[in-house]
Amino acid sequence: MSAVDYTMRREYLSTIELEKWANLNEIQRNGICIETAEDDRGKRIVASSKVESSQNQDLLITVPPHLILSLETVWVYAKSDRHLLEVLEAVGDYSRTARGAILIFLLLQITHNASAESDRVSVSSPWTQYIRFVPPEENLPTFWSEDQRALTAGTSLEAALDAKLRSLEREFIHLSDSTSSIGWCQRQWWDTGTDGLSFYDWKAVDSMYRSRALDLPGTGHAMIPYIDMASHASGDDTVALYETDADGNAVLIRREGRTVNVGDEVTITYGDDKGACEMLFSYGFIEDSMTFARGLFLDLEIPDDDPLKLAKTSIARSPPGFKLFESGGFVNWDGDFVWLVCVNEEDGLDFRLLQTIDGERELKVFWKDQEISPSSAFRDFLQVEQLWDVFQLRAVATLQSRVEQQLLALERAKASSPSMKEFHQAFYPHLNITKLRDLEEKLMVQAYEDFEHKVCTPRTSLTWISD
């Protein structure tokens, strides 16, 4: 199933209407308002009055608990909304995750707003109107065209984006297969027509969740209306923090020592440790102040000539790759999958197909005749071996080879891709892609050099690996 050129009908509301909505739903603001960003790319929270650092005015925004959209509140809504409940139950375990439940809830709000009054589905809630202030985040990579996605070649975003689009498509097919037997779903979503549900709509609700969900203390991943309009700023530039108060309200609190002047933007952090790729992937931008990629994930394949490749692939529980990240002036790495790639039968690794008590056959993993769980940290078994230094050298050589491969791919992509100037007017994220290429190249070059140093002086310099 592929994207189509139609979408469910939408109408969006103004910033003035948003303030009215906030008043109606008892969202308390202390010298705070919403305004449209100067570049017309979304909304932002700004101070409408000065807040001195010496004043007792730390509380900027208070959002009541019933407005916080979480896994729990979605199922509470479902108790009085049979249409929502039908879809949640139809998709099975998918709706038992915060993301799955929230995406389905958002989809029902869009459907409610798009349907004719005589055939309206779902029960109206504060979110039915709030979603009309939240357009799809079309600057996210999942909305880019094929030509635009091609510009990510050689970066870690290329593989991440491909995997994400495949995952979204699987989810959309699962939603279709699970709900096509429900009468109103077939009528409003799946019957042929230009106003039906499309892959674009699924990407839209995913973009809303991915770019706006926060990890709210005491709740977990949730969407918080009004507070989710706050832009990101890391480090000392973060103006406010979000928290849960004793009454279960979501609150936005001014950071200690910060003075907020009239017109100043009130920012939060989406995560100071998030790397350039993750920022562009989830939020559609890379901070201007970011001078290092911070981290990136590279996939890793088990060589075809490895006689245990099928068995290793079958039992692997960790992601098939490794993460590079800066640590103490060096580039460090993490990824248990690497150790599985680097050892074989002659080292003590073994796989046995054993029969369970119910007659089924199950693949078991052994290290030197000791059965180990596939979910165990394989590194823990290797580091107590006399050949630990050898295993580390193999790992470093594997990592170095993979980094070199990625650097060459990036160099080829930069040489063959069209000039970014061609996308200047029509494709806003081109500057972020250019920056991502530069930052990741810088990180990988340093990683390659650090690995080279470890290989040349193994005895004195391997202890830092995969801490």
Side-chain angles (χ1 to χ4, degrees):
M1 186 174 296
S2 58
V4 292
D5 59 1
Y6 61 81
T7 178
M8 297 190 78
R9 180 173 55 85
R10 291 175 175 79
E11 293 180 359
Y12 298 106
L13 300 176
S14 67
T15 302
I16 295 175
E17 294 299 320
L18 175 56
E19 296 296 348
K20 294 179 181 178
W21 179 90
N23 290 333
L24 179 65
N25 289 280
E26 301 181 331
I27 294 179
Q28 300 173 23
R29 289 96 76 206
N30 179 21
I32 293 296
C33 66
I34 299 287
E35 70 174 23
T36 302
E38 292 180 359
D39 57 7
D40 200 30
R41 292 191 177 95
K43 301 177 179 65
R44 63 178 191 162
I45 299 177
V46 297
S48 56
S49 62
K50 186 174 182 178
V51 181
E52 298 281 2
S53 60
S54 60
Q55 293 176 329
N56 187 24
Q57 294 180 322
D58 292 336
L59 192 60
L60 302 177
I61 301 173
T62 303
V63 179
H66 72 276
L67 294 179
I68 301 170
L69 191 58
S70 64
L71 173 62
E72 181 181 358
T73 53
V74 168
W75 281 94
V76 170
Y77 277 122
K79 292 179 180 179
S80 57
D81 187 338
R82 69 173 182 85
H83 297 102
L84 174 60
L85 182 60
E86 282 182 308
V87 179
L88 290 174
E89 291 182 338
V91 298
D93 290 343
Y94 182 76
S95 64
R96 299 294 175 179
T97 65
R99 179 179 172 275
I102 291 174
L103 260 61
I104 289 170
F105 178 86
L106 295 175
L107 198 60
L108 265 290
Q109 308 315 300
I110 293 174
T111 306
H112 178 95
N113 289 331
S115 56
E117 189 170 349
S118 60
D119 195 23
R120 187 144 288 167
V121 301
S122 194
V123 175
S124 181
S125 72
W127 274 89
T128 309
Q129 188 173 22
Y130 185 73
I131 202 169
R132 297 174 67 187
F133 303 111
V134 186
E137 299 290 345
E138 292 188 335
N139 61 320
L140 296 190
T142 44
F143 286 101
W144 295 353
S145 69
E146 187 174 344
D147 287 343
Q148 292 162 351
R149 293 198 303 271
L151 298 175
T152 67
T155 69
S156 62
L157 181 58
E158 180 183 25
L161 182 53
D162 286 346
K164 180 64 176 179
L165 287 171
R166 289 195 301 270
S167 175
L168 287 171
E169 196 158 342
R170 286 194 301 268
E171 291 175 346
F172 189 61
I173 292 172
H174 175 62
L175 178 67
S176 174
D177 291 344
S178 302
T179 62
S180 58
S181 61
I182 301 174
W184 70 264
C185 291
Q186 181 62 36
R187 185 173 63 254
Q188 297 226 14
W189 286 354
W190 311 121
D191 280 349
T192 303
T194 57
D195 293 328
L197 187 65
S198 73
F199 186 48
Y200 174 94
D201 296 303
W202 190 245
K203 290 194 297 183
V205 292
D206 167 74
S207 74
M208 295 173 194
Y209 176 82
R210 188 152 38 104
S211 63
R212 294 176 178 274
L214 300 172
D215 191 4
L216 184 65
T219 299
H221 292 289
M223 293 178 68
I224 312 169
Y226 206 95
I227 290 179
D228 68 4
M229 297 290 177
S231 300
H232 166 78
S234 62
D236 294 337
D237 293 330
T238 303
V239 173
L241 307 173
Y242 53 88
E243 187 54 88
T244 304
D245 69 11
D247 297 320
N249 301 303
V251 294
L252 192 66
I253 304 172
R254 178 182 55 82
R255 290 182 67 183
E256 184 178 356
R258 291 300 300 256
T259 295
V260 183
N261 295 307
V262 176
D264 283 354
E265 183 172 7
V266 177
T267 58
I268 62 175
T269 177
Y270 298 166
D272 283 11
D273 295 332
K274 291 182 177 177
C277 178
E278 186 175 359
M279 290 298 297
L280 184 53
F281 177 81
S282 295
Y283 307 109
F285 69 92
I286 299 173
E287 281 186 279
D288 292 338
S289 60
M290 188 178 288
T291 59
F292 209 71
R294 293 180 184 162
L296 62 89
F297 182 86
L298 294 180
D299 60 344
L300 186 64
E301 293 185 357
I302 300 172
D304 290 335
D305 60 0
D306 186 338
L308 299 179
K309 178 176 182 176
L310 290 178
K312 289 180 178 181
T313 303
S314 176
I315 62 93
R317 297 293 181 266
S318 54
F322 58 94
K323 181 179 180 181
L324 297 174
F325 58 94
E326 184 186 21
S327 177
F330 294 95
V331 176
N332 211 331
W333 69 275
D334 184 45
D336 206 51
F337 186 80
V338 176
W339 302 112
L340 191 60
V341 172
C342 294
V343 295
N344 266 303
E345 193 170 14
E346 59 270 20
D347 302 310
L349 182 64
D350 190 21
F351 295 92
R352 302 173 191 174
L353 199 58
L354 302 180
Q355 187 168 317
T356 62
I357 57 175
D358 57 2
E360 298 291 331
R361 296 177 71 81
E362 184 178 359
L363 188 64
K364 299 287 187 177
V365 192
F366 291 81
W367 177 253
K368 295 190 173 180
D369 292 328
Q370 177 186 351
E371 183 179 348
I372 60 176
S373 169
S375 59
S376 301
F378 198 48
R379 179 181 186 273
D380 294 341
F381 293 90
L382 300 183
Q383 64 183 358
V384 297
E385 297 288 336
Q386 289 185 347
L387 292 178
W388 173 232
D389 284 349
V390 175
F391 297 146
Q392 290 185 90
L393 274 175
R394 290 182 193 171
V396 169
T398 299
L399 297 169
Q400 188 179 33
S401 175
R402 180 64 185 89
V403 169
E404 181 181 28
Q405 179 187 34
Q406 191 72 18
L407 282 169
L408 291 172
L410 180 57
E411 196 61 37
R412 288 193 299 269
K414 289 166 65 176
S416 61
S417 64
S419 170
M420 290 291 183
K421 294 180 180 179
E422 298 178 21
F423 294 91
H424 183 70
Q425 296 298 324
F427 185 47
Y428 165 71
H430 74 282
L431 294 176
N432 286 309
I433 295 177
T434 300
K435 185 163 188 173
L436 179 65
R437 286 175 168 181
D438 293 342
L439 294 178
E440 291 201 338
E441 182 176 36
K442 179 180 177 182
L443 177 64
M444 288 190 291
V445 167
Q446 183 176 341
Y448 186 89
E449 293 173 350
D450 288 349
F451 292 151
E452 183 70 17
H453 177 68
K454 306 305 173 185
V455 170
C456 293
T457 55
R459 278 290 181 186
T460 58
S461 56
L462 281 173
T463 56
W464 67 277
I465 293 177
S466 192
D467 291 333

